[in-house]
Amino acid sequence: MTVTVPPDGSRAPVRWRPASARAQFTVLTGRSLRGLVTDRRLVVLTMVQPLILLVIFSQVFGSMASRDHFPAGVDYIDYLMPAILVTSGITSAVGSGAELIRDMDNGVLTRFRSLPIGLHWILVARAVADVLRTTAQTVLLLVCATLFFGFDPAGGLPGITAALALSLLVITALTWVFIALGTWVRSARIMQSVSGLALFPLMFASSAYVPLDALPGWLRGVALVNPVSYAVDATRALALDWPLGGDVLGAVATSMLVMAVAAGAAVAGFRRPLTR
């Protein structure tokens, strides 16, 4: 931003000109990214957590899974990894709302509101930084799954790349959902409780870890209305080179719609006064 001062040095009112949209986005995104990498311990924990989930699901659940319920000729790690790409990002999406509430509580956003910047850029920067973090996590997951667990789906590198891109689109939509939730809830405790209630049903009451036919009847009904099931099925079809049908287009269209609605709700909630 720049300050306009009269050439004669008179005490005319100071006029602030806001920085360009590009500058606001760059500075705010850089701030969010620095917050993610400043503490090396946090960086390590952020990267290790998805790897722990990969080991648990692939080795523990994989050893107990009945091969009769899975497609013939598909290893469990190949069946599992597309789901891990989606479900591991859900945890990161939950953290986006929590980080936004933390900024509300520590007074950072109060200072931002006194500056001539677009408030929506704060939310965009938060979302972009968290999606970049998730991208790093998922790429690391793919590398480790390939090197140590024999992940080698039929779709090859093109299928894996397409599956990664689709999972990141789904995660971006979920990130905006939890950012919107944070702008309206504005309580770390309530956010934690709501996130916990949403996290486990989204992850486990779905087709992520076992086929729907292997689930009990009542749980299968829940999984059929769980949007994560459709995102996982579309990602899995890309990675395993299965017939796509309308799964991928449906996942893309749904993610774009959810993202648009959630972003609008987030901006509306963020414009409210910060006092609770």
Side-chain angles (χ1 to χ4, degrees):
M1 67 188 68
T2 59
V3 181
T4 302
V5 179
D8 59 359
S10 61
R11 294 187 177 182
V14 176
R15 292 179 298 170
W16 294 84
R17 287 191 302 170
S20 65
R22 178 180 179 182
Q24 294 182 48
F25 169 76
T26 302
V27 171
L28 292 171
T29 303
R31 171 191 172 271
S32 296
L33 287 173
R34 285 192 297 272
L36 297 177
V37 301
T38 299
D39 192 335
R40 295 180 180 178
R41 297 168 299 179
L42 181 60
V43 174
V44 172
L45 291 173
T46 300
M47 293 299 160
V48 168
Q49 182 180 2
L51 296 178
I52 294 175
L53 293 177
L54 172 62
V55 173
I56 292 175
F57 288 124
S58 64
Q59 303 305 302
V60 178
F61 289 3
S63 63
M64 297 186 298
S66 174
R67 301 295 177 183
D68 296 336
H69 294 299
F70 293 91
V74 178
D75 293 335
Y76 185 68
I77 186 64
D78 295 338
Y79 184 88
L80 175 69
M81 269 307 298
I84 291 288
L85 294 180
V86 176
T87 57
S88 64
I90 296 177
T91 305
S92 298
V94 170
S96 300
E99 285 295 318
L100 185 64
I101 292 176
R102 186 176 69 85
D103 281 345
M104 291 181 180
D105 290 338
N106 63 22
V108 171
L109 297 185
T110 301
R111 292 193 290 271
F112 281 159
R113 284 173 177 265
S114 67
L115 300 175
I117 60 176
L119 294 180
H120 60 282
W121 288 117
I122 301 173
L123 302 179
V124 172
R126 175 83 269 160
V128 169
D130 288 336
V131 170
L132 289 176
R133 175 188 59 183
T134 303
T135 302
Q137 289 176 328
T138 51
V139 170
L140 180 61
L141 275 173
L142 287 172
V143 171
C144 291
T146 302
L147 294 179
F148 302 116
F149 300 107
F151 177 56
D152 186 21
L157 183 59
I160 295 174
T161 303
L164 175 61
L166 179 59
S167 67
L168 291 175
L169 177 62
V170 173
I171 292 167
T172 302
L174 290 173
T175 297
W176 276 107
V177 168
F178 284 101
I179 286 177
L181 185 61
T183 62
W184 287 94
V185 171
R186 299 189 177 183
S187 169
R189 291 182 179 179
I190 296 177
M191 185 71 181
Q192 184 178 8
S193 299
V194 173
S195 300
L197 289 174
L199 183 62
F200 291 103
L202 283 174
M203 291 178 59
F204 293 103
S206 69
S207 61
Y209 305 112
V210 294
L212 293 180
D213 294 340
L215 297 176
W218 67 271
L219 188 56
R220 188 183 309 126
V222 175
L224 285 172
V225 298
N226 186 346
V228 172
S229 292
Y230 297 95
V232 168
D233 291 345
T235 305
R236 187 173 282 144
L238 289 170
L240 297 178
D241 196 25
W242 288 350
L244 299 181
D247 290 343
V248 174
L249 290 178
V252 171
T254 302
S255 297
M256 296 296 291
L257 177 61
V258 169
M259 194 187 311
V261 173
V267 173
F270 197 57
R271 292 186 183 279
R272 296 183 304 144
L274 289 178
T275 54
R276 289 177 289 180

